[in-house]
């Protein structure tokens, strides 16, 4: 994490990663949050991309650099560099696809293996607009999150339900837990 002083006060910058199986909606969660856009037929390009969002907390400018795997996970090849330096993570499944929920423990293991610090983690059940074809109950999501000591939220990148809330909760948690500043 970086922090520096300037005329407008302190600034913070930290990295957040979004992980989860292919097509759970990671890219769309990010574009919904960063640009308030949604793509029905988005096709991820290979590589790593990030967007920076600024939030004001306690009169301080807090910048979150939010990284998207941009399709790397299709080849089971999310590299350790992707995780390096992350202070927060959104771990995403699709509430209409059971297999994506079953993969969560594997993603949590991977995050743990590659992270070098305590990571503020949120379990995200995306596509809650697809309630009519739901394959994972809210209770199951909640209970997994509780057992792992993570936050939990169901979101929809399509209709924007809880998207800002989810990112901002993670950003605030990181901000609150940072007790020392690194220049
Ligand atoms: P990624 O591979 O995890 O980055 O997933 P994408 O963001 O590329 O989304 C995969 C597909 O799911 C796309 O066709 C999106 O339009 C769709 N999608 C993403 N989020 C939602 C959502 O909240 N609701 C619905 N119904 N579809 C979504």
């Amino acid at each position: 994490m970086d922090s520096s002083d300037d005329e407008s006060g302190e600034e913070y910058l930290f990295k957040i990663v979004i992980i989860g199986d292919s097509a759970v909606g990671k890219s769309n969660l990010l574009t919904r949050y960063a640009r308030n856009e949604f793509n029905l037929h988005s096709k991820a390009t290979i590589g790593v991309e990030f967007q920076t969002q600024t939030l004001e907390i306690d009169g301080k400018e807090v910048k979150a650099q939010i990284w998207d795997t941009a399709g790397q996970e299709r080849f089971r090849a999310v590299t350790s560099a992707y995780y390096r330096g992350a202070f927060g993570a959104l771990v995403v499944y699709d509430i209409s696809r059971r297999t994506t929920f079953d993969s969560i423990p594997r993603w949590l293991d991977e995050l743990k293996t590659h992270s070098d610090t305590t990571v503020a983690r949120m379990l995200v059940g995306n596509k809650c607009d697809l309630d009519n074809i739901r394959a994972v109950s809210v209770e199951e999501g909640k209970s997994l999150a509780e057992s792992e000591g993570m936050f939990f939220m169901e979101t929809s990148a399509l209709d924007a339900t809880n998207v800002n809330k989810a990112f901002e909760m993670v950003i605030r948690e990181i901000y609150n837990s940072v007790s020392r500043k690194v220049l």
Side-chain angles (χ1 to χ4, degrees):
M1 200 199 77
D2 293 327
S3 106
S4 60
D5 292 311
D6 65 13
E7 285 164 21
S8 60
E10 284 165 306
E11 271 186 31
Y12 294 80
L13 172 68
F14 44 68
K15 175 177 171 180
I16 292 175
V17 292
I18 311 178
I19 54 176
D21 283 1
S22 195
V24 294
K26 299 181 297 298
S27 298
N28 273 282
L29 283 167
L30 182 53
T31 50
R32 172 62 75 194
Y33 180 52
R35 302 205 295 265
N36 200 16
E37 287 171 9
F38 181 83
N39 306 301
L40 200 51
H41 302 292
S42 60
K43 239 199 164 131
T45 44
I46 306 304
V48 167
E49 291 163 3
F50 66 81
Q51 306 263 355
T52 305
Q53 276 296 99
T54 306
L55 203 66
E56 194 182 305
I57 308 176
D58 297 341
K60 298 186 177 88
E61 202 164 276
V62 180
K63 289 196 173 114
Q65 193 184 70
I66 307 164
W67 292 53
D68 176 19
T69 57
Q72 283 188 78
E73 74 282 12
R74 275 184 282 165
F75 307 104
R76 288 289 304 114
V78 176
T79 59
S80 58
Y82 180 71
Y83 294 96
R84 194 169 304 135
F87 272 71
L90 273 76
V91 189
V92 187
Y93 64 94
D94 170 351
I95 68 141
S96 71
R97 276 195 301 143
R98 183 90 210 167
T99 52
T100 66
F101 182 70
D102 296 338
S103 295
I104 295 294
R106 185 173 57 73
W107 285 109
L108 292 176
D109 277 353
E110 186 155 316
L111 179 63
K112 202 169 166 190
T113 304
H114 294 295
S115 49
D116 37 24
T117 181
T118 306
V119 179
R121 299 169 308 157
M122 174 171 287
L123 181 63
V124 176
N126 189 41
K127 307 196 188 181
C128 68
D129 56 282
L130 298 179
D131 196 46
N132 57 329
I133 52 164
R134 175 185 286 279
V136 183
S137 70
V138 177
E139 289 68 31
E140 283 174 292
K142 259 190 198 154
S143 133
L144 176 60
E146 255 174 44
S147 70
E148 293 288 344
M150 342 164 51
F151 296 116
F152 173 68
M153 208 164 269
E154 283 201 350
T155 59
S156 168
L158 175 69
D159 67 18
T161 304
N162 286 340
V163 176
N164 291 5
K165 239 182 178 169
F167 281 103
E168 288 177 8
M169 219 165 144
V170 171
I171 295 168
R172 283 176 197 279
E173 173 66 15
I174 299 169
Y175 175 80
N176 290 337
S177 66
V178 168
S179 54
R180 77 192 157 84
K181 293 185 250 166
V182 184
L183 278 175

